[in-house]
Amino acid sequence: MKAGRKKQLLTEKELPIMQMLWDNGPLFVREMVALYPEPKPHFNTIATLVRILEEKGHVGHETINGSHRFHAIAAREDFQKKSLSEIVANFFNNSYKSAVSALAEEEKISVEELKEIINLIESKNNKR
């Protein structure tokens, strides 16, 4: 990614391509098409999205026998942190407590998982 450029969130159409690259390593566009579930997007659609991701600095390529094989430059973790921060800020009034409470209310997180989170926090605080 270019220095000084703010990391942008991925669009709904860009995310599956990045996930493919993170999960499978370097891929040619035809391999990305093959990995897509039905209905598969057109080859040119994926090629355009990959070029956009490359312009944003999230993807790079190497040329092999005249074809471009693309690889992720941006790390999945960078987007996880940024996306979570955006969701908490935009939907939970910047309150992580509200976000976790919503997960508990929707039964998306168990008591055991909450206890594990508390243990993680307590162990980090004890290391300080």
Side-chain angles (χ1 to χ4, degrees):
M1 190 145 72
K2 293 186 171 97
R5 179 185 274 181
K6 184 182 175 196
K7 207 166 265 166
Q8 303 166 341
L9 291 179
L10 298 170
T11 67
E12 188 177 333
K13 294 187 188 261
E14 293 168 345
L15 182 58
I17 292 169
M18 290 302 297
Q19 287 174 326
M20 284 181 204
L21 295 172
W22 288 324
D23 293 343
N24 300 289
L27 296 167
F28 294 99
V29 172
R30 70 183 181 303
E31 293 172 316
M32 292 179 212
V33 173
L35 288 171
Y36 256 93
E38 293 293 341
K40 294 182 184 297
H42 190 274
F43 180 95
N44 291 343
T45 301
I46 295 177
T48 298
L49 288 167
V50 171
R51 277 195 300 276
I52 291 167
L53 286 165
E54 194 168 28
E55 287 171 10
K56 289 181 175 181
H58 303 320
V59 169
H61 75 269
E62 63 177 329
T63 304
I64 299 175
N65 297 327
S67 293
H68 288 78
R69 185 169 73 169
F70 296 92
H71 59 274
I73 293 173
R76 183 188 313 250
E77 294 77 20
D78 294 337
F79 289 102
Q80 286 172 333
K81 291 173 188 171
K82 179 71 174 160
S83 297
L84 183 58
S85 296
E86 293 281 326
I87 289 168
V88 171
N90 293 330
F91 297 102
F92 297 98
N93 200 28
N94 220 22
S95 167
Y96 283 84
K97 178 183 172 188
S98 295
V100 173
S101 295
L103 292 171
E105 287 174 26
E106 295 286 324
E107 297 180 359
K108 303 290 185 190
I109 192 167
S110 69
V111 173
E112 292 78 24
E113 290 170 319
L114 287 169
K115 286 178 182 176
E116 287 177 31
I117 292 169
I118 291 168
N119 289 337
L120 281 171
I121 294 167
E122 286 175 344
S123 68
K124 279 192 172 215
N125 287 340
N126 289 337
K127 289 180 183 177
R128 290 182 185 169

